[in-house]
Amino acid sequence: MFVDEAEIEVRAGDGGDGSVHFRREKFVPKGGPDGGNGGNGGDVILVADPHLHTLLDFNYQSVFSAESGVDGAGKNCDGKNGADCLVRVPPGTMVYEQDSGQQVADLVVAGDRLIAARGGEGGQGNVAFATATHRTPRFAEQGLPGESCGLRLELRIIADVGVIGFPNAGKSTLISHLSAAQSKIASYPFTTLQPQLGVVRVSDELQFVIADMPGLIEGAHAGRGLGDRFLRHIRRTRLLLHMLDVAAVDQRDPLEDYENLNKELVAYDEQVAALPQLVALNKIDLPDSEVFLPVCQEYFSECQIPAHPISAVTGAGLTQLVRALVGKLAELEPREPDQREPETHQMPQAEERPLQIFRSADEVFLVRGSEVERLVQRTNLNNEDALPHLHEQLQELGVIQALRRANAQVGDTVFIGDVELEYQP
Ligand SMILES: Nc1nc2c(ncn2[C@@H]2O[C@H](COP(=O)(O)OP(=O)(O)OP(=O)(O)O)[C@@H](O)[C@H]2O)c(=O)[nH]1
Ligand SMILES: [Mg+2]
């Protein structure tokens, strides 16, 4: 099971309906309107939480709903707003809109947020519709529905050092030795199925995060083996530790491995290929290492790449290796985004659609447009008293005039959004 990706659905709360209510008091024969407004629906908000490290929890829960707003009530009582729904994700989570595939946010720093679905606005109570000439409005607005959408989450691990190498090079063995991470170790390829983080504590003040990566093979950039699905995780590391098996336990030439893997990185992504690398020449405890170790050392000293002979099993050379990693990290720029203040992202605003009128059959008109569709959603069509107000508003938006120009006749069917009405000029 891979936990670096998850699909979730977010549903914001609906707005509460405005109330139709009239004051009732002793000795006051005919009270004025006092229906309160509906509360707003809650938002669904994704927030980066440093206590989380995987997307595993989303296998158990994948639908997140915020509360709806409460309907308004008499005595000018406004309904309560619905509570927001907070969805905690690990820092490094990229968020994509499922329908469009568009990236909508990159939650990097603890506290980064994305308002993923906005709650519907509550409707106004009948008080709002009282005028000098119409003092007793027997209608109110309905709340608007909350937004909802599907999202795809993708976790990019943020580590300082990414350990790369062919399967069985000893990457997990090294990480288990250097940190408390419990990476699975075995003598068959592709033991590690997903990246794993470990913290290397050099001293109380000095520590860095190292990522154990699944083994890479030739053709990884094109999806071979576990493929490129994990390469994206190392884009944000600052340094790569390239591990070679100089005992050639799997009968491969470590220098060929080295060059092939670097080619894979170039083929995959220039940013990954451009990361600085240190090399670890592993398994020097095995007698077979005597053949390749000197060859590798000569090769790397000629091209002036620091290469450290180590044994991940016995621990030989690890102190020097860690010192070299720390030294190199100190030379490199600190990872930039971690320094900034948390940000709040919004979903890309759905574009406001202008008013449009289509004639679908002789006596059927289709009216489209964001504003007019919201107006109809806000109207309780079962309430006859709301209809004159709707008509007025349609006139204000120019809908009636546009229908007249389109030659609509009394009694023709008009769809506004999904709602069916009859044309009455
Ligand atoms: N003798 C010896 N064996 C080692 C050393 N490092 C790793 N091994 C062995 O090599 C095998 C593979 O080790 P892993 O740490 O699982 O290798 P990996 O690079 O994580 O492999 P994948 O996860 O499959 O990519 C295991 O049997 C380890 O015990 C070493 O320094 N010396
Ligand atoms: Mg491994």
Side-chain angles (χ1 to χ4, degrees), residues 168 170-173 183-185 190-192 212-215:
N168 282 343
K171 302 177 291 298
S172 302
T173 310
S183 255
K184 192 175 169 197
I185 297 167
F190 302 120
T191 313
T192 305
D212 183 13
M213 302 293 299

mmCIF file of all heavy atoms in Angstrom, residues 168 170-173 183-185 190-192 212-215, ligand 2:
data_model
loop_
_atom_site.group_PDB
_atom_site.id
_atom_site.type_symbol
_atom_site.label_atom_id
_atom_site.label_comp_id
_atom_site.label_asym_id
_atom_site.label_seq_id
_atom_site.Cartn_x
_atom_site.Cartn_y
_atom_site.Cartn_z
ATOM 1 N N ASN A 168 19.173 -2.953 -2.832
ATOM 2 C CA ASN A 168 20.162 -3.746 -2.073
ATOM 3 C C ASN A 168 21.488 -3.035 -1.836
ATOM 4 O O ASN A 168 22.431 -3.650 -1.348
ATOM 5 C CB ASN A 168 20.452 -5.100 -2.744
ATOM 6 C CG ASN A 168 19.345 -6.091 -2.481
ATOM 7 O OD1 ASN A 168 18.551 -5.888 -1.564
ATOM 8 N ND2 ASN A 168 19.290 -7.151 -3.264
ATOM 9 N N GLY A 170 22.059 -0.964 0.330
ATOM 10 C CA GLY A 170 22.228 -0.862 1.789
ATOM 11 C C GLY A 170 21.696 0.438 2.356
ATOM 12 O O GLY A 170 22.056 0.847 3.455
ATOM 13 N N LYS A 171 20.803 1.066 1.625
ATOM 14 C CA LYS A 171 20.269 2.375 2.040
ATOM 15 C C LYS A 171 19.509 2.275 3.367
ATOM 16 O O LYS A 171 19.733 3.061 4.279
ATOM 17 C CB LYS A 171 19.329 2.930 0.945
ATOM 18 C CG LYS A 171 19.997 3.078 -0.424
ATOM 19 C CD LYS A 171 19.052 3.556 -1.501
ATOM 20 C CE LYS A 171 17.989 2.535 -1.897
ATOM 21 N NZ LYS A 171 18.503 1.281 -2.456
ATOM 22 N N SER A 172 18.645 1.280 3.459
ATOM 23 C CA SER A 172 17.839 1.144 4.684
ATOM 24 C C SER A 172 18.718 0.741 5.859
ATOM 25 O O SER A 172 18.497 1.178 6.993
ATOM 26 C CB SER A 172 16.739 0.104 4.476
ATOM 27 O OG SER A 172 15.920 0.491 3.385
ATOM 28 N N THR A 173 19.726 -0.097 5.578
ATOM 29 C CA THR A 173 20.633 -0.510 6.649
ATOM 30 C C THR A 173 21.339 0.721 7.219
ATOM 31 O O THR A 173 21.452 0.893 8.429
ATOM 32 C CB THR A 173 21.679 -1.502 6.092
ATOM 33 O OG1 THR A 173 20.996 -2.513 5.362
ATOM 34 C CG2 THR A 173 22.481 -2.127 7.213
ATOM 35 N N SER A 183 13.503 1.100 9.167
ATOM 36 C CA SER A 183 13.314 0.752 7.766
ATOM 37 C C SER A 183 13.486 -0.751 7.611
ATOM 38 O O SER A 183 14.358 -1.348 8.225
ATOM 39 C CB SER A 183 14.363 1.476 6.911
ATOM 40 O OG SER A 183 13.782 2.535 6.221
ATOM 41 N N LYS A 184 12.661 -1.335 6.769
ATOM 42 C CA LYS A 184 12.779 -2.774 6.561
ATOM 43 C C LYS A 184 14.051 -3.067 5.750
ATOM 44 O O LYS A 184 14.344 -2.379 4.770
ATOM 45 C CB LYS A 184 11.546 -3.266 5.808
ATOM 46 C CG LYS A 184 11.436 -4.773 5.801
ATOM 47 C CD LYS A 184 10.128 -5.216 5.158
ATOM 48 C CE LYS A 184 10.169 -6.705 4.909
ATOM 49 N NZ LYS A 184 9.165 -7.141 3.959
ATOM 50 N N ILE A 185 14.778 -4.084 6.179
ATOM 51 C CA ILE A 185 16.032 -4.451 5.519
ATOM 52 C C ILE A 185 15.934 -5.897 5.081
ATOM 53 O O ILE A 185 15.502 -6.754 5.849
ATOM 54 C CB ILE A 185 17.217 -4.318 6.500
ATOM 55 C CG1 ILE A 185 17.365 -2.867 6.944
ATOM 56 C CG2 ILE A 185 18.513 -4.836 5.874
ATOM 57 C CD1 ILE A 185 18.278 -2.677 8.129
ATOM 58 N N PHE A 190 13.994 -4.094 -3.829
ATOM 59 C CA PHE A 190 12.703 -3.422 -3.563
ATOM 60 C C PHE A 190 12.122 -3.821 -2.220
ATOM 61 O O PHE A 190 10.940 -4.129 -2.091
ATOM 62 C CB PHE A 190 11.688 -3.687 -4.688
ATOM 63 C CG PHE A 190 12.179 -3.232 -6.023
ATOM 64 C CD1 PHE A 190 12.331 -4.126 -7.071
ATOM 65 C CD2 PHE A 190 12.522 -1.903 -6.228
ATOM 66 C CE1 PHE A 190 12.807 -3.712 -8.297
ATOM 67 C CE2 PHE A 190 13.000 -1.476 -7.448
ATOM 68 C CZ PHE A 190 13.144 -2.386 -8.489
ATOM 69 N N THR A 191 12.986 -3.846 -1.230
ATOM 70 C CA THR A 191 12.505 -4.082 0.135
ATOM 71 C C THR A 191 11.758 -2.853 0.616
ATOM 72 O O THR A 191 10.717 -2.929 1.255
ATOM 73 C CB THR A 191 13.696 -4.322 1.077
ATOM 74 O OG1 THR A 191 14.569 -5.255 0.476
ATOM 75 C CG2 THR A 191 13.224 -4.837 2.414
ATOM 76 N N THR A 192 12.339 -1.713 0.290
ATOM 77 C CA THR A 192 11.727 -0.459 0.712
ATOM 78 C C THR A 192 10.704 -0.052 -0.343
ATOM 79 O O THR A 192 11.055 0.104 -1.508
ATOM 80 C CB THR A 192 12.796 0.637 0.865
ATOM 81 O OG1 THR A 192 13.792 0.158 1.770
ATOM 82 C CG2 THR A 192 12.199 1.923 1.394
ATOM 83 N N ASP A 212 15.125 7.634 3.447
ATOM 84 C CA ASP A 212 15.409 6.353 2.803
ATOM 85 C C ASP A 212 14.473 6.240 1.613
ATOM 86 O O ASP A 212 13.259 6.381 1.750
ATOM 87 C CB ASP A 212 15.130 5.223 3.800
ATOM 88 C CG ASP A 212 15.466 3.856 3.222
ATOM 89 O OD1 ASP A 212 16.144 3.814 2.171
ATOM 90 O OD2 ASP A 212 15.050 2.854 3.822
ATOM 91 N N MET A 213 15.055 6.020 0.445
ATOM 92 C CA MET A 213 14.224 5.952 -0.756
ATOM 93 C C MET A 213 14.172 4.521 -1.273
ATOM 94 O O MET A 213 15.124 3.770 -1.121
ATOM 95 C CB MET A 213 14.814 6.849 -1.849
ATOM 96 C CG MET A 213 14.964 8.296 -1.438
ATOM 97 S SD MET A 213 13.386 9.067 -1.186
ATOM 98 C CE MET A 213 12.706 8.898 -2.818
ATOM 99 N N PRO A 214 13.085 4.167 -1.934
ATOM 100 C CA PRO A 214 13.055 2.866 -2.605
ATOM 101 C C PRO A 214 14.184 2.805 -3.645
ATOM 102 O O PRO A 214 14.578 3.829 -4.191
ATOM 103 C CB PRO A 214 11.690 2.852 -3.290
ATOM 104 C CG PRO A 214 10.869 3.820 -2.508
ATOM 105 C CD PRO A 214 11.824 4.886 -2.080
ATOM 106 N N GLY A 215 14.687 1.612 -3.897
ATOM 107 C CA GLY A 215 15.769 1.463 -4.867
ATOM 108 C C GLY A 215 15.352 1.901 -6.255
ATOM 109 O O GLY A 215 14.198 1.776 -6.661
HETATM 110 MG MG MG B 2 15.612 -0.262 1.472
#
